[in-house]
Amino acid sequence: LSVGVLTALALSAGVSAEIIKVEVGKSGSKTIFNPESIKANKGDVVEFHFDSQHSVVASDPKKACTPISTGGFYSGTLPSGDKTTFSVTINNTEPIFLYCSIPGHCQAGAVGVINQGEDQTIEEYRAAAAKTDSTKEPKSVFGGS
């Protein structure tokens, strides 16, 4: 094998996807998504663990409590339990705002963000969510497993 191929193999062997655990609705937590802000690299998997009945939806960052129009994900409303998870593979490092689609939860602050950017913070998104009249829920589960 050439030095270039060996170098490429060595570099790729050192880079592996991380599994990032997010608790959803854990008793005693101050927020529905814990942690509510995470950093994830391309290829990482965000694993949502449902400790009480909630959902997770990728949001349109400019329309709080509304699903993003392209791409994204939706878990459906999941029951609580140690084995109840929904996993999403991160395709890029752009910010992904998320919310719980159970009526009233998003407005009450059940929001989070993956890869918060400089243009919008979780606090700004939460404030916008509090001002919305309703929560939009996708028709079916997509974008994760």
Side-chain angles (χ1 to χ4, degrees):
L1 292 173
S2 73
V3 173
V5 171
L6 288 174
T7 302
L9 288 171
L11 288 173
S12 67
V15 177
S16 62
E18 184 178 347
I19 296 174
I20 302 166
K21 183 177 179 180
V22 176
E23 295 286 345
V24 183
K26 186 167 184 136
S27 179
S29 176
K30 293 181 181 180
T31 60
I32 295 296
F33 299 104
N34 188 16
E36 68 178 5
S37 179
I38 61 170
K39 287 280 187 195
N41 294 312
K42 182 178 179 179
D44 286 351
V45 175
V46 178
E47 196 173 77
F48 296 94
H49 289 251
F50 289 80
D51 298 300
S52 59
Q53 193 171 30
H54 291 285
S55 69
V56 60
V57 183
S59 180
D60 182 328
K62 302 298 181 201
K63 296 179 185 173
C65 308
T66 301
I68 196 160
S69 59
T70 59
F73 51 85
Y74 171 54
S75 66
T77 299
L78 293 175
S80 61
D82 290 338
K83 304 276 190 251
T84 306
T85 62
F86 183 75
S87 298
V88 176
T89 300
I90 302 303
N91 297 321
N92 60 55
T93 57
E94 294 295 314
I96 303 169
F97 285 89
L98 46 100
Y99 67 96
C100 176
S101 65
I102 292 176
H105 285 203
C106 184
Q107 290 82 4
V111 300
V113 64
I114 301 169
N115 297 325
Q116 177 174 280
E118 295 178 9
D119 294 341
Q120 186 178 21
T121 66
I122 185 69
E123 292 81 12
E124 291 167 332
Y125 183 85
R126 182 180 287 112
K131 295 175 185 173
T132 62
D133 293 330
S134 64
T135 300
K136 307 275 189 297
E137 182 175 31
K139 296 186 186 317
S140 60
V141 174
F142 68 94
S145 58

